[in-house]
């Protein structure tokens, strides 16, 4: 924006400093990917970052730029540039996860903390510099060629299809699988279409659908939720709108998919491009300025068309009003005695009680999933807080859902981002559909290993259908497992 409006000159030190700061995350991308990949593959993230640093160290870069052939213990080292690369470090950390497990098995426990990382790096540094790095760089080049070919041969089709299915990608979590393509496109082409552009129409569509719902619904609380989620979607974060409004009401979700189609067509016709990695929404506007006036106009038109399409279609298709379909509160008042609409939840783990606002995940800290508390566990045993049925049990074993006889839905989420571990460090003691008693052991977790991997193991306990419940905290400080934690009252 500063250069577009001629507020600073491109040869000034101010521009140069801001410019290199904007490139830091991309230049050191292998180090960031090393950390997140290590969490995904269940190995030490700090050792992984050291390995990535070996590819980016200024001395190594100077040696590769000198033109002199390099060897390591007589083995040839390919002079490749790894800054802004994606595949080499991901492959290296995947291999490292197996090397670390081998080192874990052969290292005596009393010297494990310094011998295990030493063995890991002694194996991985030569392996990465001689084999994995060069191979990954070659694959990265072919990946860049694939992106360029798709963009050249069928860019219009890719853009439209990806714009339509963007919400489905978010639901499945597959957007993370597209990151290598996105970063490679940005590094090789200087711009991106995947995600940065294709996510824009449906994000604005989510906003339009939510505002249409807010206009029509008679439920005041749901109207507030729809407005809040709609604004958030317009600014680039679609999950609250997706899970809290459009997907729940079904027909507005179809309107959102339609907005992706119309917005994708606009993006193709007007050649919309994003020039930095961003969360697609109105706040991402500066990321489109580099394309000039035509790109700015394409951004504005795409946003307006997508928003209006979803807004009008949601009004036209209609929906089952939240107030009309959610009559469970009336059922409990009519069919249950007053003393049966109150339930007590026990602490599922032993640990320090925290407010949900302390959880480093907006889904919990902002109460999007519902009210509750969080516990920072001190022991690895997890118990059922109430009697009921196991209604949600993830393959990754990081979260468990229990529904009581009165219909209260409780979610116990073991740690933050622990879904990336794919179940490593967790064991379930129950199966989906099983009836459990209050205080029954339902899961265990290896806290030492999970903490060593750098995960925040704070455990939210939330009422996911808590729109019309009141909760009362019954304990403070450190809670002991199977002692009263919350009292839940149903009703207005």
């Amino acid at each position: 924006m500063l250069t577009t409006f001629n507020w600073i000159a491109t040869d000034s030190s101010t521009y140069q400093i801001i410019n290199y700061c904007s490139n830091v995350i991309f230049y050191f991308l292998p180090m960031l990917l090393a950390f997140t990949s290590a969490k995904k593959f269940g190995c030490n993230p700090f050792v992984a970052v050291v390995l990535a640093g070996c590819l980016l160290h200024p001395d190594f870069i100077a040696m590769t730029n000198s033109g002199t052939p390099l060897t390591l213990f007589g083995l040839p080292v390919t002079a490749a540039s790894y800054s802004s690369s994606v595949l080499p470090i991901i492959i290296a950390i995947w291999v490292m996860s197996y090397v670390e497990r081998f080192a874990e098995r052969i290292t005596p426990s009393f010297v494990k903390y310094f011998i295990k990382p030493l063995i890991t790096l002694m194996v991985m540094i030569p392996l990465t510099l001689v084999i994995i790095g060069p191979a990954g760089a070659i694959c990265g080049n072919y990946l860049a060629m694939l992106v360029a070919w798709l963009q050249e041969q069928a860019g219009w089709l890719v853009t439209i299809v990806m714009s339509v299915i963007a919400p489905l990608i978010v639901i499945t979590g597959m957007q993370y699988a597209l990151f290598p393509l996105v970063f490679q496109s940005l590094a090789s082409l200087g711009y991106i279409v995947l995600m940065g552009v294709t996510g824009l129409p449906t994000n604005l569509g989510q906003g339009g659908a939510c505002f249409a719902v807010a206009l029509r619904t008679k439920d005041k609380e749901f109207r507030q939720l729809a407005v809040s989620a709609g604004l958030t979607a317009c600014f680039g974060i679609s999950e609250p709108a997706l899970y809290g409004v459009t997907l729940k009401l079904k027909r507005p979700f179809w309107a959102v998919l339609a907005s992706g189609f119309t917005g994708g067509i606009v993006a193709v016709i007007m050649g919309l491009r994003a020039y930095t990695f961003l969360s697609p929404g109105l706040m991402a506007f500066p990321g489109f300025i580099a394309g000039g006036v035509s790109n700015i106009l394409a951004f504005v038109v795409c946003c307006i068309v997508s928003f209006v399409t979803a807004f009008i279609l949601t009004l036209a298709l209609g929906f089952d009003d939240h107030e009309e379909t959610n009559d469970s509160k009336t059922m409990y008042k009519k069919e249950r005695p007053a003393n049966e609409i109150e339930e007590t939840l026990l602490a599922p783990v032993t640990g320090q009680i925290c407010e949900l606002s302390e959880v480093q995940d907006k889904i919990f800290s902002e109460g999007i999933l519902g009210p509750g508390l969080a516990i920072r566990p001190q022991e690895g045993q997890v118990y059922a807080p109430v009697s009921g049925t196991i209604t949600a049990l993830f393959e990754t074993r990081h979260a468990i859902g229990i529904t009581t006889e009165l219909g209260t839905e409780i979610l116990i989420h073991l740690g933050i981002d622990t879904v990336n571990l794919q179940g490593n460090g967790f064991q379930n003691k129950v199966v989906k559909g099983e009836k459990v008693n209050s205080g029954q052991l339902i899961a265990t977790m290896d806290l030492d290993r999970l903490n060593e991997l750098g995960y925040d193991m704070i455990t939210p306990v939330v009422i996911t259908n808590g729109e019309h419940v009141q909760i009362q905290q019954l304990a403070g400080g450190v809670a002991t497992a199977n002692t009263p934690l919350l009292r839940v009252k149903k009703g207005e």
Side-chain angles (χ1 to χ4, degrees):
M1 291 179 69
L2 293 174
T3 55
T4 299
F5 299 113
N6 296 318
W7 292 338
I8 62 171
T10 55
D11 58 355
S12 67
S13 59
T14 299
Y15 170 83
Q16 293 171 5
I17 291 173
I18 294 175
N19 188 55
Y20 92 72
C21 287
S22 72
N23 291 328
V24 164
I25 192 171
F26 299 106
Y27 184 87
F28 292 103
L29 185 62
M31 301 186 79
L32 302 179
L33 286 173
F35 192 87
T36 55
S37 297
K39 287 192 170 186
K40 175 69 175 179
F41 298 128
C43 52
N44 191 313
F46 302 103
V47 176
V49 170
V50 172
L51 182 61
C54 294
L55 300 177
L56 299 175
H57 196 283
D59 289 351
F60 177 69
I61 294 174
M63 293 168 68
T64 57
N65 291 337
S66 66
T68 304
L70 305 178
T71 61
L72 179 63
F73 301 120
L75 300 172
V77 176
T78 303
S81 174
Y82 297 104
S83 61
S84 303
S85 64
V86 174
L87 288 181
I89 195 62
I90 293 178
I91 298 172
I93 303 306
W94 174 65
V95 174
M96 180 186 129
S97 67
Y98 290 96
V99 173
E100 189 176 86
R101 290 171 199 166
F102 172 75
E104 172 87 21
R105 288 197 301 269
I106 67 171
T107 306
S109 58
F110 62 93
V111 292
K112 186 171 294 182
Y113 284 105
F114 64 91
I115 293 295
K116 185 173 76 170
L118 177 62
I119 294 174
T120 302
L121 287 174
M122 287 179 63
V123 173
M124 287 308 304
I125 289 175
L127 197 60
T128 301
L129 292 177
V130 176
I131 300 176
I132 297 175
I138 293 172
C139 292
N141 291 335
Y142 279 113
L143 185 60
M145 293 169 59
L146 173 63
V147 172
W149 181 83
L150 286 174
Q151 205 60 45
E152 180 180 347
Q153 300 297 324
W156 64 272
L157 181 61
V158 172
T159 300
I160 293 175
V161 171
M162 293 299 293
S163 295
V164 173
I165 67 173
L168 303 176
I169 291 175
V170 172
I171 291 173
T172 59
M174 289 181 61
Q175 69 269 28
Y176 301 108
L178 298 175
F179 279 13
L181 283 171
V182 172
F183 289 130
Q184 199 69 50
S185 175
L186 194 60
S188 58
L189 303 177
Y191 63 86
I192 54 178
V193 175
L194 282 177
M195 296 181 66
V197 170
T198 58
L200 186 65
T202 49
N203 278 6
L204 269 295
Q206 294 279 9
C210 284
F211 280 105
V213 169
L215 184 65
R216 281 287 180 88
T217 184
K218 297 178 181 178
D219 187 328
K220 293 182 180 180
E221 291 184 9
F222 195 61
R223 181 181 296 117
Q224 292 178 345
L225 171 65
V227 171
S228 175
L231 286 172
T232 305
C234 288
F235 289 146
I237 306 298
S238 64
E239 283 84 351
L242 177 63
Y243 295 114
V245 182
T246 57
L247 197 58
K248 180 183 291 186
L249 298 178
K250 296 181 178 62
R251 274 173 277 176
F253 182 69
W254 292 108
V256 170
L257 297 183
S259 74
F261 179 74
T262 56
I265 291 177
V266 170
V268 168
I269 294 175
M270 302 189 72
L272 182 61
R273 293 174 176 176
Y275 291 86
T276 187
F277 184 71
L278 43 80
S279 184
L282 298 178
M283 295 297 289
F285 169 70
F288 295 83
I289 288 180
V293 175
S294 61
N295 203 57
I296 295 173
L297 180 61
F299 173 84
V300 173
V301 173
C302 182
C303 289
I304 293 175
V305 168
S306 303
F307 184 94
V308 172
T309 298
F311 183 86
I312 293 176
L313 281 179
T314 299
L315 293 179
L317 294 173
F319 55 90
D320 294 328
D321 198 355
H322 188 262
E323 184 180 46
E324 296 173 1
T325 58
N326 186 20
D327 58 358
S328 60
K329 55 183 182 294
T330 304
M331 287 173 55
Y332 283 117
K333 286 181 178 179
K334 291 180 179 179
E335 300 178 10
R336 300 280 186 177
N339 62 350
E340 288 190 17
I341 62 172
E342 181 177 295
E343 297 179 285
T344 298
L345 273 61
L346 306 183
V349 295
T350 295
Q352 180 69 43
I353 297 176
C354 308
E355 298 291 335
L356 283 182
S357 58
E358 299 179 42
V359 179
Q360 298 300 309
D361 187 327
K362 289 184 178 180
I363 295 293
F364 295 106
S365 62
E366 295 183 0
I368 294 173
L369 282 183
L373 288 175
I375 301 176
R376 197 170 294 282
Q378 298 173 354
E379 298 177 358
Q381 292 75 34
V382 184
Y383 302 91
V386 291
S387 297
T389 303
I390 302 295
T391 49
L393 198 64
F394 297 81
E395 292 184 2
T396 48
R397 301 191 287 273
H398 73 291
I400 301 174
I402 302 176
T403 301
T404 70
E405 290 184 0
L406 295 182
T408 305
E409 298 173 2
I410 302 158
L411 176 68
I412 306 168
H413 197 281
L414 306 176
I416 303 303
D417 294 332
T418 46
V419 62
N420 297 329
L421 290 171
Q422 297 297 307
N424 291 327
F426 301 100
Q427 283 190 350
N428 291 149
K429 302 297 184 179
V430 291
V431 296
K432 188 174 181 181
E434 180 179 342
K435 293 187 180 296
V436 296
N437 296 318
S438 177
Q440 178 179 334
L441 183 67
I442 56 176
T444 60
M445 48 186 172
D446 188 346
L447 279 183
D448 291 338
R449 176 159 179 76
L450 294 168
N451 288 325
E452 181 185 344
L453 292 174
Y455 281 87
D456 182 0
M457 291 310 299
I458 191 169
T459 298
V461 182
V462 297
I463 315 298
T464 56
N465 60 343
E467 296 152 352
H468 298 288
V469 303
Q470 296 177 346
I471 65 170
Q472 177 186 356
Q473 184 174 336
L474 301 177
V478 177
T480 302
N482 296 326
T483 59
L485 178 69
L486 289 173
R487 179 176 290 117
V488 179
K489 293 183 178 180
K490 288 185 174 291
E492 294 287 357

